[in-house]
Amino acid sequence: MKNYIFSLFLVFSFSLQAHNVGNVYGNIYDAKSKMPLIGVNIQLKGTLIGTSSNINGKFELKNLQTGNYELVFYYAGYQTVSNSINIQENSTDTLTILLYESAIDLDELTVQGTRPISAASSKEIRAIDMQLKPFRTSQDMLLMVPGLFIAQHQGGGKAEQIFLRGFDCDHGTDVSINVDGIPVNMPTHAHGQGYADLHFLISETVDEMDVNKGPYLANIGDFYTAGAVNFKTKDFLENNLIKIEAGQFNTQKYTLMFHPENGGVQQNGYIAMQYHHSDGPFISPEKFERMNIFGKYFFQFTPNSKLTFSAGGFSTGWNASGQLPDRAVKQGIISRFGGIDNLEGGVTNRKNAIINYNFLSSNGSVFEINSYFTQYNFKLYSDFTYFLNDSVNGDMIEQNEHRTIEGVNSTYKFTTSWFGMHQLNKVGGGFRGDQIDVQLWHSPNRVRMNNFTDDIVDEQNLNVWFQQEFVFSPLIRMVWGVRHDFFTFSKDDNAGSSLDSINNGLPHATGISVQSVFSPKVNFVISPLKNLNVFLNFGQGFHSNDARDVILGTRVTELSTAWKNEGLNDNHIDTRLSNYNFDPSMRNISTLPKATAGEIGIKSRLFNKLHISLSAWYLYLNKEFVYIGDGGSTELSNPTQRLGIDAEARLSILSWLWADLDISTAHGTILNLPEGENHIPLAPTLTATGGISVVRTEGFSGSIRFRHLSDRPANEDNSIVAIGHTLFNASLAYNYKQFSFAVNGENLLNTEWNEAQFATETRLKGEASSVTDLCYTPGNPRNFQFSVSYKF
């Protein structure tokens, strides 16, 4: 890994010699309304060089080699325009492009393949959001996903808890997250299945964000149930950047981004670095510190082939005051920003290396291959129950993990035509391998006392998939696909796997398991009008279970079969399994639980001013056993169903003034439980976000925004309620030449709110018995952060 990073930056360190180059700048407008068009695809014909227009309709292509080119401008619902240009040495051409609305051209539709397949997967709206909604961290960027909320409850260093479409996704179990093709979610994580820590991503390096709700695409696999979020980092920088941020809670952040002086669109690279510190609002300072570094370099062998290297890493450490029992605050034992056990906290680090290769053939087909390697370490101290299990020493646990990941993904895209109808075909495959050393300790006051679990895991996932966009006519198209995922699990239990002893009251097993899952998808898009699309979606997705859970389930099945062959009846088998801490009901339960979803939606763009989408959806998730990383055991999760409505609107009031609104409702129930006792804990029922934004490249810009999350059940019978909140935030910036000055205000009304909250059984020091009540991490009070940046 170290040698790879050294080699990458050795290559990068050589000056990019780009002689005989010129630039192209431009503005793109609707020919009739003269409104700027956002997200127009601009491509140098026959090459992989391209860009897209921003919220002001502007684009730029810098340091093009001298010569003749044909620029192609494509935007769904508009005539495709080609413009011939001649790049001369040290010249700068400025273009004004007017696009005219038109009926959809079948050939262009098939070749481009950029139109959304569901109401919630619009790249155009995401491009608007990237420029409208302020964000300070990569985790904040997740809040741009309509209906998605996050919560932090461990001092800023742990991956955020994610809520989407009626799911408490924990730290990522039901949302697939990727960056430049590298998976963020981690199966069989020490803290929770699918743990997705985005803190390695520097938000200023992000170029695009794709959002797909529901499991309707074939190219996305594990953890793709409620949805998927894919980030793409910039290939190059428009300017060097120095940015300094500071504010309340002793918050400091410094960002440096540099690129070679002569880099262009055919060869370029950059390095980004960031340091972040904050103590948070708590009486016991969080002492959160994080350092990030990221580098990227690409070059084109030929106009139609491109090789990209990137590498980066981060390391962070923090303290935390944890989740506070509501009764402790109300009784005055601690203040709202105090703590019961202030020794909670942790350290984590991650290093990534990625290689991408893209090739565009003369017939328009595209081949892509992506390979990656990751090293990851994690240590977390948590104390959720205080003195529930150990009334003398306390219950603090320590979760440890050391992991390496390697993987490859490949895609081949090509077009065909059958009986006069056009198809855009994609076929792909890949593998991912995780080697994991994961442990759970009882560590009061951060001193190890007892080992609960100690496992060595090898987990492999291979996949193949096919997706085809079948264009029947300009009015109707179908996108269908199939995917097959194959898993192998191997686990060595170092804490105790022999049936001759019962180890620490927990189930233990060493073994192997093989699992596979098939996921079909079909989507119809009907376009009765130029700016109106109707979507019908169906698909199946899945999330894998923790490998420790898989092996325990396999061992239960194996032992049950062996003992049955010995003549034992079911009652005797169940008794013997229980004696060894196994749950007999784990027999033959799927460890790749499927999500089956359907959706109907509409999306429209009116007068190039109003972008709206509306969808109604349903999702069913199979029964499964869930591994509890905090306790080393498993628990049954009954099948669930969820249904809801998502609505999005973006309005360009003036060319520089925008309004946006997102509203999501969901109703979820646990099946096979009595009415009134079948609530899905912490599942959001109503969320809303919106705001007014002023977007200018010079002078003042800013926004006023709100975020609402309603009350929701914290447990199955709704006897404990997770309290909702409404927050108002604002930002104001002034741009003067190369300088930008900004202030961000959070929680302007100083609302008392809970960021993360759970119904938890706890016992405080001196209490005779345990109490189950609401435990929460308080959200930040009103605070302000200031920044100054310099571009050069």
Side-chain angles (χ1 to χ4, degrees):
M1 175 69 180
K2 292 180 180 178
N3 292 335
Y4 178 89
I5 295 175
F6 175 77
S7 300
L8 171 63
F9 286 105
L10 185 64
V11 172
F12 180 76
S13 65
F14 288 103
S15 175
L16 299 177
Q17 301 300 316
H19 302 291
N20 302 322
V21 296
N23 307 312
V24 179
Y25 298 90
N27 300 276
I28 307 175
Y29 303 98
D30 175 86
K32 185 176 180 180
S33 69
K34 300 301 187 292
M35 292 292 295
L37 294 177
I38 305 157
V40 176
N41 291 305
I42 302 111
Q43 198 79 24
L44 289 181
K45 188 173 182 180
T47 77
L48 291 168
I49 300 171
T51 186
S52 60
S53 57
N54 66 17
I55 198 168
N56 299 306
K58 298 180 180 294
F59 73 92
E60 59 181 42
L61 292 168
K62 288 184 177 180
N63 291 341
L64 284 169
Q65 295 289 333
T66 56
N68 295 313
Y69 298 93
E70 185 175 353
L71 271 179
V72 181
F73 302 84
Y74 172 81
Y75 197 49
Y78 284 78
Q79 294 178 4
T80 297
V81 170
S82 296
N83 194 304
S84 297
I85 56 171
N86 177 257
I87 300 298
Q88 299 182 1
E89 185 174 358
N90 299 323
S91 69
T92 297
D93 294 316
T94 302
L95 306 177
T96 298
I97 305 298
L98 301 178
L99 297 185
Y100 292 84
E101 289 187 297
S102 71
I104 299 167
D105 182 274
L106 285 179
D107 290 320
E108 292 167 357
L109 174 61
T110 305
V111 172
Q112 296 289 338
T114 57
R115 299 181 69 189
I117 68 161
S118 74
S121 62
S122 171
K123 289 188 177 183
E124 184 179 3
I125 290 181
R126 298 292 81 77
I128 295 172
D129 289 348
M130 287 282 289
Q131 298 177 68
L132 287 188
K133 300 182 179 181
F135 52 86
R136 301 203 305 269
T137 68
S138 57
Q139 296 281 14
D140 285 346
M141 297 186 74
L142 289 174
L143 292 173
M144 289 192 289
V145 178
L148 189 150
F149 273 58
I150 61 175
Q152 173 62 245
H153 56 98
Q154 249 283 3
K158 194 165 75 171
E160 274 72 1
Q161 189 178 4
I162 301 174
F163 304 93
L164 179 66
R165 282 204 164 179
F167 277 89
D168 169 11
C169 304
D170 196 27
H171 297 281
T173 308
D174 291 289
V175 178
S176 171
I177 302 177
N178 287 265
V179 176
D180 289 339
I182 191 168
V184 181
N185 303 78
M186 295 195 177
T188 315
H189 189 272
H191 187 65
Q193 178 69 351
Y195 187 89
D197 187 351
L198 260 178
H199 290 123
F200 68 87
L201 177 63
I202 300 174
S203 60
E204 286 83 358
T205 66
V206 175
D207 187 36
E208 297 177 3
M209 183 177 76
D210 292 341
V211 175
N212 293 281
K213 294 183 185 178
Y216 307 126
L217 293 174
N219 63 309
I220 308 174
D222 203 0
F223 309 112
Y224 183 35
T225 50
V229 183
N230 298 308
F231 294 94
K232 181 183 181 298
T233 59
K234 298 174 181 178
D235 279 346
F236 54 87
L237 306 178
E238 296 179 4
N239 305 99
N240 295 321
L241 173 69
I242 299 175
K243 186 176 182 180
I244 301 173
E245 300 171 75
Q248 290 171 260
F249 316 137
N250 194 24
T251 299
Q252 306 166 51
K253 187 159 70 168
Y254 308 95
T255 305
L256 304 175
M257 298 173 66
F258 298 101
H259 68 96
E261 181 178 354
N262 294 321
V265 295
Q266 289 149 321
Q267 181 178 207
N268 215 325
Y270 62 92
I271 295 176
M273 294 164 282
Q274 188 173 84
Y275 171 80
H276 188 185
H277 172 90
S278 180
D279 287 334
F282 298 91
I283 294 173
S284 177
E286 292 178 339
K287 296 183 179 179
F288 167 78
E289 290 190 81
R290 185 179 73 237
M291 184 73 186
N292 295 63
I293 186 168
F294 176 74
K296 193 171 187 178
Y297 168 75
F298 78 88
F299 64 95
Q300 298 200 211
F301 296 106
T302 66
N304 57 348
S305 62
K306 177 180 176 182
L307 186 64
T308 305
F309 303 90
S310 63
F314 90 110
S315 187
T316 185
W318 69 95
N319 295 323
S321 296
Q323 297 155 202
L324 310 180
D326 190 44
R327 68 185 185 280
V329 177
K330 289 180 176 177
Q331 294 171 11
I333 299 173
I334 57 172
S335 70
R336 182 171 171 81
F337 290 98
I340 301 293
D341 188 344
N342 293 314
L343 286 177
E344 294 191 56
V347 294
T348 185
N349 60 74
R350 176 171 178 158
K351 299 175 283 291
N352 301 314
I354 309 172
I355 301 176
N356 291 297
Y357 176 72
N358 301 72
F359 176 76
L360 173 67
S361 71
S362 58
N363 65 2
S365 60
V366 178
F367 174 73
E368 302 173 2
I369 188 166
N370 159 265
S371 62
Y372 56 86
F373 178 81
T374 292
Q375 285 185 339
Y376 173 80
N377 298 289
F378 175 87
K379 183 189 290 289
L380 179 68
Y381 295 100
S382 304
D383 193 351
F384 303 115
T385 55
Y386 304 114
F387 295 91
L388 177 67
N389 302 310
D390 188 333
S391 61
V392 176
N393 301 294
D395 296 349
M396 176 172 279
I397 60 171
E398 173 190 346
Q399 294 166 313
N400 277 330
E401 177 173 320
H402 307 284
R403 175 190 302 252
T404 60
I405 311 171
E406 67 279 337
V408 171
N409 294 302
S410 59
T411 304
Y412 180 57
K413 182 172 69 174
F414 61 99
T415 59
T416 54
S417 181
W418 299 342
F419 307 107
M421 291 180 288
H422 301 262
Q423 300 86 39
L424 174 63
N425 308 286
K426 296 179 182 179
V427 61
F431 77 86
R432 170 182 175 166
D434 289 66
Q435 293 78 44
I436 314 157
D437 181 355
V438 58
Q439 301 171 342
L440 175 65
W441 292 82
H442 177 211
S443 298
N445 300 316
R446 297 191 178 184
V447 177
R448 290 180 176 178
M449 181 174 290
N450 303 302
N451 179 227
F452 291 150
T453 64
D454 182 358
D455 297 298
I456 303 295
V457 175
D458 182 271
E459 183 170 339
Q460 304 288 323
N461 173 206
L462 290 85
N463 68 82
V464 293
W465 58 271
F466 175 77
Q467 183 169 291
Q468 182 179 65
E469 183 171 344
F470 208 103
V471 184
F472 296 100
S473 74
L475 298 180
I476 302 175
R477 60 191 178 103
M478 178 181 70
V479 181
W480 70 276
V482 292
R483 180 185 180 92
H484 185 258
D485 283 86
F486 176 79
F487 288 84
T488 60
F489 304 91
S490 174
K491 182 173 86 77
D492 292 320
D493 191 325
N494 296 325
S497 58
S498 171
L499 294 182
D500 295 330
S501 61
I502 302 174
N503 299 285
N504 58 30
L506 296 172
H508 292 274
T510 291
I512 61 173
S513 183
V514 177
Q515 308 279 340
S516 66
V517 61
F518 179 77
S519 306
K521 332 271 184 174
V522 62
N523 308 275
F524 290 92
V525 183
I526 303 169
S527 305
L529 301 172
K530 286 185 296 185
N531 290 320
L532 176 64
N533 291 316
V534 179
F535 303 92
L536 301 172
N537 309 106
F538 169 82
Q540 288 187 325
F542 71 97
H543 65 237
S544 63
N545 283 164
D546 190 298
R548 291 166 291 184
D549 176 61
V550 174
I551 298 303
L552 288 174
T554 300
R555 189 65 176 140
V556 167
T557 301
E558 292 171 345
L559 289 173
S560 298
T561 301
W563 290 338
K564 198 172 190 67
N565 291 337
E566 293 175 8
L568 273 66
N569 61 36
D570 289 342
N571 289 334
H572 286 123
I573 291 174
D574 290 352
T575 299
R576 184 176 286 189
L577 287 170
S578 298
N579 288 338
Y580 294 114
N581 305 312
F582 292 116
D583 187 338
S585 58
M586 291 187 73
R587 277 193 295 266
N588 302 316
I589 295 292
S590 172
T591 51
L592 294 174
K594 276 193 174 185
T596 302
E599 187 166 336
I600 181 170
I602 61 170
K603 178 181 176 295
S604 182
R605 183 177 68 232
L606 302 176
F607 316 113
N608 280 310
K609 286 180 173 289
L610 179 62
H611 304 254
I612 58 173
S613 68
L614 179 69
S615 60
W617 55 269
Y618 171 86
L619 189 146
Y620 171 87
L621 182 63
N622 282 352
K623 176 180 180 179
E624 62 178 313
F625 269 85
V626 178
Y627 188 82
I628 309 302
D630 298 334
S633 59
T634 62
E635 68 178 27
L636 176 66
S637 176
N638 280 309
T640 57
Q641 65 176 8
R642 297 164 173 85
L643 65 160
I645 295 175
D646 292 344
E648 304 176 39
R650 307 290 182 271
L651 174 64
S652 176
I653 303 170
L654 299 169
S655 61
W656 50 269
L657 182 63
W658 285 78
D660 65 277
L661 178 66
D662 299 323
I663 299 175
S664 298
T665 65
H667 175 70
T669 55
I670 303 173
L671 303 180
N672 305 329
L673 290 182
E675 186 68 29
E677 300 177 15
N678 60 348
H679 298 279
I680 301 175
L682 301 179
T685 56
L686 174 65
T687 65
T689 60
I692 299 289
S693 302
V694 174
V695 182
R696 293 181 182 274
T697 55
E698 290 289 336
F700 285 101
S701 61
S703 67
I704 298 176
R705 306 196 57 77
F706 80 93
R707 187 168 82 238
H708 172 78
L709 175 64
S710 66
D711 292 352
R712 60 202 194 277
N715 56 356
E716 287 82 353
D717 63 7
N718 200 23
S719 60
I720 300 176
V721 176
I723 302 169
H725 60 262
T726 302
L727 303 179
F728 289 88
N729 305 320
S731 64
L732 179 66
Y734 182 75
N735 301 309
Y736 177 73
K737 295 184 178 179
Q738 295 166 283
F739 289 91
S740 180
F741 307 89
V743 57
N744 291 280
E746 180 187 11
N747 191 8
L748 296 179
L749 301 183
N750 206 26
T751 300
E752 190 174 280
W753 64 291
N754 299 336
E755 183 161 7
Q757 45 197 330
F758 306 86
T760 307
E761 182 184 7
T762 61
R763 185 166 66 169
L764 303 179
K765 188 85 169 174
E767 285 186 330
S769 60
S770 64
V771 177
T772 299
D773 66 348
L774 189 70
C775 295
Y776 60 84
T777 299
N780 285 344
R782 179 172 51 226
N783 67 93
F784 295 92
Q785 307 293 326
F786 304 87
S787 71
V788 58
S789 60
Y790 174 63
K791 296 179 180 179
F792 60 100

